[in-house]
Amino acid sequence: MKTQDRIIHAALALFNQHGEPNITTNHIAADLGISPGNLYYHFRNKEAIIHSIFDQYAQDLALAFDPSQPQEDTQALLQHYLDATFSLMWRYRFFYANLPDILRRDEALQHKYLDAQQQLQTNLMTILQHYSHAGWLNLSESGLAAVGETLKQVASSWIFYQSAQAPQTHIHAGVIYKGVLQMLALLHPLTSSQGQTAIASLMDHYQQQLVRQDIRALDTLN
Amino acid sequence: MKTQDRIIHAALALFNQHGEPNITTNHIAADLGISPGNLYYHFRNKEAIIHSIFDQYAQDLALAFDPSQPQEDTQALLQHYLDATFSLMWRYRFFYANLPDILRRDEALQHKYLDAQQQLQTNLMTILQHYSHAGWLNLSESGLAAVGETLKQVASSWIFYQSAQAPQTHIHAGVIYKGVLQMLALLHPLTSSQGQTAIASLMDHYQQQLVRQDIRALDTLN
DNA sequence: GTCTATATTTAGATAGAC
DNA sequence: GTCTATCTAAATATAGAC
């Protein structure tokens, strides 16, 4: 791997584990066994590293919604959406745990972030409209928009919320399934009887993922 | 005012305006026109200042739900709850914009925060149960708990969410009314016809507050 | 591309005089 | 209680040799 990519990789891992404000350029260099001078040869400063990590995130996000993918049914579409957004948020969680301060320092990044959010929201609304047209949701057009807005907030602040609720050590990948379940629980009382079956089956699916994840987490402790 | 209180006051204002990570003990001392040495006479370090500010927040929160207050009707109770929690979150917004990192640094504070959250959640669930018993909500017992959990997340991540959405300069007190409206919009489709009237009247109320606030914000610009 | 060495700056904190 | 003076430690960043 190129040194530039190794820096991005190491920085992401350290940021996720210790929180971005607690990791300096020296920490990153030391972790890789390279000199600080070398690191500064590849990146102008720490902000540039964060910016590059975000670019990679945005690229991963675009790939996850590759328009060349085959048409799927509504149900699979929602599951794909939830899987992709939450697993990516988890992989880049340092960012979502610290959004206000990171974005304040880099105006260009703020705009890129809002663009990405807008794309995610558009995709979500498309899926909600599928559900609505299939008669699975009992909501007016404006009700749909309101739910979409709430879902967007729940998703994009989930990592933040969990980080504040639990001491850092207790956070593991299982929290992403909890986040998905939280969103589905929000939709559940708004569905018609057919829709309820669809949402309930998704909730079952993620409940199982959560249990498996918890078992894996226990294994890690041993 | 005692110097100790003046430090807390100035620190809160600076933290809210510039973000806690961007304000040093030197900034606080300079803002007050006192020496750094003097500041350190009153507080062991910056963390102690933040901790004191939180203690004041917790005290304000307890006061806002003074048990000696007269019994109110369900509707007034919810309005009181929303007014108090959101206006206090606004007054101490630096904290809510940066929760994960602030709490990670101070384990004792993490516990105090969780206690406060627990108290807020208990109060919220009591109110939801009032609504439910009055036949205003079409929800099972478990549905009620799920909605309560979502409302808790929406409320406690509202400041964070807004700070990430908007460039810092565009954030003003009006966002707290938007947050209240967001919570009410979440409840709205879950209500019975009587409940709908009650929630709709609250939404009207906060919509008006929001408009007034926006007008005041415009005034400030002129 | 990478290292060593080092400069610059700032945050956090303390000692001791008043 | 408050100030002046100052120290330590750390973070950011660069210069120049290899």
Side-chain angles (χ1 to χ4, degrees):
Chain A
M1 214 189 329
K2 286 193 301 183
T3 301
Q4 193 167 348
D5 293 330
R6 294 210 306 135
I7 291 170
I8 289 179
H9 191 259
L12 175 57
L14 290 171
F15 288 163
N16 280 340
Q17 193 176 352
H18 303 285
E20 177 272 327
N22 306 308
I23 294 297
T24 71
T25 49
N26 279 6
H27 288 124
I28 300 167
D31 186 74
L32 285 169
I34 67 173
S35 67
N38 192 0
L39 184 145
Y40 277 93
Y41 171 79
H42 292 283
F43 290 94
R44 210 164 37 69
N45 52 34
K46 185 179 165 184
E47 201 171 290
I49 299 176
I50 295 171
H51 206 114
S52 285
I53 294 178
F54 182 84
D55 285 341
Q56 190 180 295
Y57 167 70
Q59 198 186 324
D60 288 355
L61 208 54
L63 240 65
F65 291 105
D66 188 349
S68 71
Q69 73 191 333
Q71 294 284 358
E72 298 173 282
D73 66 275
T74 308
Q75 183 77 338
L77 212 59
L78 178 56
Q79 184 174 338
H80 179 74
Y81 178 87
L82 294 170
D83 282 346
T85 52
F86 272 83
S87 76
L88 281 175
M89 284 200 302
W90 173 252
R91 280 173 50 197
Y92 296 89
R93 59 192 174 278
F94 83 90
F95 191 69
Y96 280 91
N98 250 335
L99 273 174
D101 248 72
I102 291 174
L103 296 183
R104 190 205 305 252
R105 280 180 259 149
D106 185 340
E107 203 179 335
L109 192 58
Q110 162 97 327
H111 289 118
K112 284 189 187 178
Y113 169 74
L114 289 179
D115 285 350
Q117 285 295 106
Q118 184 54 55
Q119 194 51 56
L120 281 169
Q121 181 68 352
T122 303
N123 291 334
L124 175 60
M125 288 313 295
T126 304
I127 294 169
L128 285 185
Q129 265 143 19
H130 275 221
Y131 270 73
S132 186
H133 291 155
W136 289 3
L137 282 173
N138 296 321
L139 282 172
S140 64
E141 195 65 28
S142 73
L144 216 59
V147 169
E149 180 60 29
T150 305
L151 287 174
K152 177 187 169 195
Q153 190 197 330
V154 169
S156 61
S157 59
W158 179 251
I159 299 289
F160 163 86
Y161 177 65
Q162 286 301 309
S163 304
Q165 292 303 305
Q168 176 64 9
T169 45
H170 292 166
I171 290 205
H172 59 80
V175 303
I176 77 167
Y177 297 115
K178 277 205 211 166
V180 172
L181 284 166
Q182 175 89 1
M183 288 183 74
L184 293 172
L186 208 158
L187 283 175
H188 190 259
L190 307 173
T191 48
S192 65
S193 48
Q194 302 133 289
Q196 212 139 55
T197 316
I199 297 290
S201 90
L202 273 182
M203 290 180 85
D204 272 357
H205 168 74
Y206 285 108
Q207 190 66 49
Q208 278 171 31
Q209 299 293 312
L210 177 58
V211 172
R212 281 190 207 147
Q213 184 57 50
D214 281 342
I215 290 166
R216 272 201 293 277
L218 278 176
D219 286 346
T220 315
L221 290 177
N222 295 336
Chain B
M1 215 188 331
K2 285 193 302 182
T3 302
Q4 193 166 349
D5 294 330
R6 295 209 306 134
I7 291 170
I8 289 179
H9 191 259
L12 176 57
L14 290 171
F15 288 163
N16 280 341
Q17 194 177 350
H18 303 285
E20 177 272 327
N22 306 308
I23 294 297
T24 70
T25 49
N26 281 6
H27 288 125
I28 300 167
D31 185 75
L32 285 169
I34 67 173
S35 68
N38 191 1
L39 184 145
Y40 277 93
Y41 171 79
H42 291 282
F43 290 94
R44 208 165 39 68
N45 52 32
K46 187 179 165 186
E47 202 171 290
I49 298 175
I50 295 172
H51 206 114
S52 285
I53 294 177
F54 182 84
D55 285 341
Q56 191 181 293
Y57 166 69
Q59 198 186 323
D60 288 355
L61 208 54
L63 239 66
F65 291 105
D66 186 350
S68 71
Q69 73 191 335
Q71 296 283 359
E72 298 174 281
D73 65 276
T74 308
Q75 182 79 338
L77 211 60
L78 178 56
Q79 184 174 339
H80 179 74
Y81 178 86
L82 293 170
D83 283 346
T85 52
F86 272 83
S87 74
L88 281 175
M89 283 199 304
W90 174 251
R91 280 173 51 197
Y92 296 88
R93 60 191 172 280
F94 84 90
F95 190 70
Y96 280 91
N98 250 334
L99 272 174
D101 249 71
I102 292 174
L103 296 183
R104 190 205 303 253
R105 280 180 259 149
D106 185 341
E107 203 179 336
L109 192 58
Q110 162 97 330
H111 289 118
K112 285 189 187 177
Y113 168 74
L114 288 178
D115 284 350
Q117 285 295 106
Q118 185 53 55
Q119 194 51 56
L120 281 169
Q121 182 68 350
T122 303
N123 292 334
L124 175 61
M125 288 312 295
T126 305
I127 294 169
L128 284 185
Q129 265 144 19
H130 275 222
Y131 270 73
S132 186
H133 291 155
W136 289 3
L137 282 173
N138 295 321
L139 283 172
S140 64
E141 195 65 29
S142 73
L144 215 59
V147 170
E149 180 61 28
T150 305
L151 288 173
K152 177 187 170 197
Q153 190 198 329
V154 169
S156 61
S157 59
W158 180 251
I159 299 288
F160 163 85
Y161 178 66
Q162 286 302 310
S163 304
Q165 293 302 306
Q168 178 63 10
T169 47
H170 292 165
I171 292 205
H172 58 81
V175 303
I176 76 167
Y177 297 115
K178 278 205 210 165
V180 173
L181 284 166
Q182 175 90 357
M183 289 184 72
L184 293 172
L186 207 157
L187 283 176
H188 190 258
L190 307 173
T191 49
S192 66
S193 49
Q194 303 131 289
Q196 212 141 55
T197 315
I199 297 290
S201 91
L202 272 182
M203 289 180 84
D204 272 357
H205 168 75
Y206 286 108
Q207 191 65 49
Q208 278 171 32
Q209 300 291 314
L210 177 58
V211 172
R212 282 191 204 145
Q213 184 58 48
D214 281 342
I215 290 167
R216 274 202 292 276
L218 278 176
D219 285 346
T220 315
L221 291 177
N222 296 336

Coordinates of all heavy atoms in Angstrom, one line a residue, chain A residues 80-113:
Chain A
H80 N -31.1 -2.9 2.0 CA -29.9 -2.5 1.4 C -29.5 -1.1 1.9 O -28.3 -0.9 2.3 CB -30.0 -2.6 -0.1 CG -28.7 -2.2 -0.8 ND1 -27.6 -3.0 -0.9 CD2 -28.4 -1.0 -1.5 CE1 -26.6 -2.3 -1.5 NE2 -27.1 -1.2 -1.9
Y81 N -30.4 -0.2 1.9 CA -30.2 1.1 2.3 C -29.7 1.2 3.8 O -28.7 1.8 4.1 CB -31.5 2.0 2.2 CG -31.3 3.4 2.7 CD1 -30.9 4.4 1.8 CD2 -31.7 3.8 4.0 CE1 -30.7 5.7 2.3 CE2 -31.6 5.1 4.4 CZ -31.1 6.1 3.6 OH -31.0 7.3 4.0
L82 N -30.4 0.5 4.7 CA -30.1 0.5 6.1 C -28.7 -0.2 6.3 O -27.9 0.4 7.1 CB -31.2 -0.3 6.9 CG -32.5 0.4 6.9 CD1 -33.6 -0.5 7.5 CD2 -32.5 1.7 7.7
D83 N -28.5 -1.3 5.7 CA -27.2 -2.0 5.8 C -26.0 -1.0 5.4 O -25.0 -0.9 6.1 CB -27.1 -3.2 4.9 CG -27.9 -4.4 5.5 OD1 -28.2 -4.3 6.7 OD2 -28.1 -5.4 4.8
A84 N -26.2 -0.4 4.2 CA -25.1 0.4 3.7 C -24.9 1.6 4.5 O -23.7 1.9 4.9 CB -25.4 0.8 2.3
T85 N -25.9 2.4 4.8 CA -25.7 3.7 5.6 C -25.1 3.4 7.0 O -24.2 4.1 7.4 CB -27.0 4.5 5.7 OG1 -28.0 3.6 6.2 CG2 -27.4 5.0 4.3
F86 N -25.7 2.4 7.6 CA -25.2 2.2 9.0 C -23.9 1.6 9.1 O -23.1 1.9 10.0 CB -26.3 1.4 9.8 CG -27.3 2.2 10.4 CD1 -28.4 2.7 9.7 CD2 -27.2 2.7 11.8 CE1 -29.4 3.5 10.3 CE2 -28.2 3.5 12.3 CZ -29.3 3.9 11.6
S87 N -23.6 0.6 8.2 CA -22.2 0.0 8.3 C -21.2 1.0 7.9 O -20.1 1.1 8.5 CB -22.1 -1.2 7.5 OG -22.0 -0.9 6.1
L88 N -21.5 1.9 7.0 CA -20.5 3.0 6.6 C -20.3 4.0 7.7 O -19.2 4.4 8.1 CB -20.9 3.7 5.3 CG -20.5 2.9 4.1 CD1 -21.0 3.6 2.8 CD2 -19.0 2.7 4.0
M89 N -21.5 4.4 8.4 CA -21.4 5.3 9.5 C -20.5 4.7 10.6 O -19.8 5.3 11.3 CB -22.7 5.6 10.1 CG -23.5 6.6 9.2 SD -24.8 7.4 10.1 CE -25.8 6.0 10.6
W90 N -20.6 3.3 10.8 CA -19.8 2.7 11.8 C -18.4 2.7 11.4 O -17.5 3.0 12.3 CB -20.3 1.2 12.0 CG -19.5 0.4 12.9 CD1 -18.6 -0.6 12.6 CD2 -19.3 0.6 14.3 NE1 -17.9 -1.0 13.7 CE2 -18.4 -0.3 14.8 CE3 -19.9 1.4 15.2 CZ2 -18.0 -0.4 16.1 CZ3 -19.6 1.3 16.6 CH2 -18.6 0.4 17.0
R91 N -18.0 2.4 10.2 CA -16.6 2.4 9.7 C -16.0 3.7 9.9 O -14.8 3.8 10.0 CB -16.5 1.8 8.3 CG -16.6 0.3 8.2 CD -16.7 -0.2 6.8 NE -15.6 0.4 6.0 CZ -15.7 0.3 4.6 NH1 -16.7 -0.2 4.0 NH2 -14.7 0.8 3.9
Y92 N -16.8 4.8 9.7 CA -16.2 6.2 9.8 C -16.8 6.9 11.1 O -17.1 8.0 11.0 CB -16.5 6.9 8.6 CG -15.9 6.3 7.3 CD1 -16.5 5.3 6.6 CD2 -14.6 6.8 7.0 CE1 -15.8 4.8 5.5 CE2 -14.0 6.3 5.9 CZ -14.6 5.3 5.1 OH -13.9 4.7 4.0
R93 N -16.9 6.1 12.2 CA -17.7 6.6 13.3 C -17.1 7.8 14.0 O -17.8 8.6 14.6 CB -18.0 5.5 14.3 CG -16.8 4.8 14.9 CD -17.2 3.6 15.6 NE -16.1 2.8 16.1 CZ -15.4 1.9 15.4 NH1 -15.7 1.8 14.1 NH2 -14.4 1.2 15.9
F94 N -15.8 8.0 13.9 CA -15.1 9.1 14.6 C -15.7 10.4 14.1 O -15.9 11.4 14.8 CB -13.6 9.1 14.4 CG -13.2 9.7 13.1 CD1 -12.9 11.1 13.0 CD2 -13.1 9.0 11.9 CE1 -12.6 11.7 11.8 CE2 -12.8 9.5 10.7 CZ -12.5 10.9 10.6
F95 N -16.0 10.4 12.8 CA -16.6 11.6 12.2 C -17.9 11.9 12.7 O -18.2 13.0 13.1 CB -16.6 11.2 10.7 CG -16.9 12.4 9.8 CD1 -16.0 13.4 9.6 CD2 -18.2 12.5 9.2 CE1 -16.3 14.5 8.8 CE2 -18.4 13.6 8.4 CZ -17.5 14.6 8.2
Y96 N -18.8 10.9 12.8 CA -20.2 11.1 13.3 C -20.3 11.4 14.8 O -21.2 11.9 15.3 CB -21.0 9.9 12.9 CG -21.5 10.0 11.5 CD1 -20.7 9.4 10.5 CD2 -22.6 10.7 11.1 CE1 -21.1 9.5 9.1 CE2 -23.0 10.8 9.8 CZ -22.3 10.2 8.8 OH -22.7 10.3 7.5
A97 N -19.2 11.0 15.5 CA -19.2 11.3 16.9 C -18.8 12.8 17.2 O -19.0 13.3 18.3 CB -18.2 10.4 17.7
N98 N -18.3 13.4 16.2 CA -17.7 14.8 16.4 C -18.0 15.8 15.4 O -17.3 16.8 15.2 CB -16.1 14.6 16.4 CG -15.6 14.8 17.8 OD1 -16.2 15.5 18.6 ND2 -14.4 14.2 18.1
L99 N -19.1 15.6 14.7 CA -19.5 16.4 13.5 C -19.3 17.9 13.7 O -18.6 18.5 13.0 CB -20.9 16.1 13.1 CG -21.0 14.9 12.1 CD1 -22.5 14.6 11.9 CD2 -20.3 15.3 10.8
P100 N -20.0 18.5 14.7 CA -20.0 20.0 14.8 C -18.6 20.5 14.8 O -18.3 21.5 14.0 CB -20.7 20.3 16.1 CG -21.6 19.1 16.3 CD -20.8 17.9 15.8
D101 N -17.7 20.0 15.5 CA -16.3 20.6 15.6 C -15.5 20.3 14.4 O -14.7 21.1 13.9 CB -15.6 20.1 16.9 CG -15.4 21.3 17.8 OD1 -16.4 21.7 18.4 OD2 -14.3 21.8 17.8
I102 N -15.6 19.1 13.8 CA -14.9 18.8 12.6 C -15.3 19.7 11.4 O -14.5 20.2 10.7 CB -15.0 17.3 12.2 CG1 -14.3 16.4 13.3 CG2 -14.5 17.0 10.8 CD1 -14.5 14.9 13.1
L103 N -16.6 19.9 11.3 CA -17.2 20.6 10.2 C -16.9 22.1 10.4 O -16.7 22.8 9.4 CB -18.7 20.4 10.1 CG -19.1 19.0 9.7 CD1 -20.6 18.9 9.5 CD2 -18.4 18.5 8.4
R104 N -16.9 22.6 11.6 CA -16.6 24.0 11.8 C -15.2 24.4 11.4 O -15.0 25.5 10.9 CB -16.7 24.3 13.3 CG -16.7 25.8 13.7 CD -16.2 26.1 15.1 NE -17.0 25.3 16.1 CZ -17.9 25.9 16.9 NH1 -18.1 27.2 16.8 NH2 -18.5 25.2 17.8
R105 N -14.3 23.5 11.5 CA -12.9 23.8 11.1 C -12.6 23.8 9.6 O -11.6 24.2 9.2 CB -12.0 22.7 11.7 CG -11.7 22.9 13.2 CD -10.8 21.8 13.7 NE -11.5 20.8 14.4 CZ -11.2 19.5 14.5 NH1 -10.1 19.1 13.8 NH2 -11.9 18.7 15.2
D106 N -13.5 23.2 8.8 CA -13.3 23.0 7.4 C -14.6 23.3 6.6 O -15.4 22.4 6.5 CB -12.8 21.6 7.2 CG -12.4 21.3 5.8 OD1 -12.8 22.0 4.9 OD2 -11.6 20.3 5.6
E107 N -14.7 24.5 6.1 CA -15.9 24.9 5.4 C -16.2 24.0 4.2 O -17.3 23.6 3.9 CB -15.9 26.3 5.1 CG -17.3 26.9 4.9 CD -17.2 28.4 4.6 OE1 -16.1 29.1 4.9 OE2 -18.1 28.9 3.9
A108 N -15.2 23.7 3.5 CA -15.4 22.9 2.3 C -15.9 21.5 2.6 O -16.8 21.0 1.9 CB -14.0 22.7 1.5
L109 N -15.4 21.0 3.7 CA -15.9 19.7 4.2 C -17.4 19.8 4.6 O -18.2 18.9 4.4 CB -15.1 19.2 5.4 CG -15.2 17.7 5.8 CD1 -15.0 16.8 4.7 CD2 -14.4 17.4 7.0
Q110 N -17.7 20.9 5.2 CA -19.1 21.1 5.6 C -20.1 21.0 4.4 O -21.1 20.3 4.5 CB -19.3 22.5 6.3 CG -20.7 23.0 6.3 CD -21.3 22.8 7.7 OE1 -21.1 21.8 8.4 NE2 -22.2 23.7 8.1
H111 N -19.6 21.5 3.3 CA -20.5 21.5 2.1 C -20.5 20.1 1.5 O -21.6 19.6 1.2 CB -20.0 22.5 1.1 CG -20.2 23.9 1.4 ND1 -19.2 24.8 1.6 CD2 -21.4 24.5 1.7 CE1 -19.8 26.0 2.0 NE2 -21.1 25.8 2.0
K112 N -19.4 19.4 1.5 CA -19.4 18.0 1.1 C -20.3 17.1 1.9 O -21.0 16.2 1.4 CB -18.0 17.4 1.1 CG -17.1 17.9 0.0 CD -15.7 17.2 0.0 CE -14.7 17.8 -1.0 NZ -13.5 17.1 -1.0
Y113 N -20.2 17.4 3.2 CA -21.1 16.6 4.1 C -22.5 16.8 3.9 O -23.3 15.9 3.8 CB -20.7 17.0 5.6 CG -21.7 16.4 6.6 CD1 -21.8 15.1 6.9 CD2 -22.7 17.2 7.2 CE1 -22.7 14.5 7.8 CE2 -23.7 16.7 8.1 CZ -23.6 15.4 8.4 OH -24.6 14.9 9.3

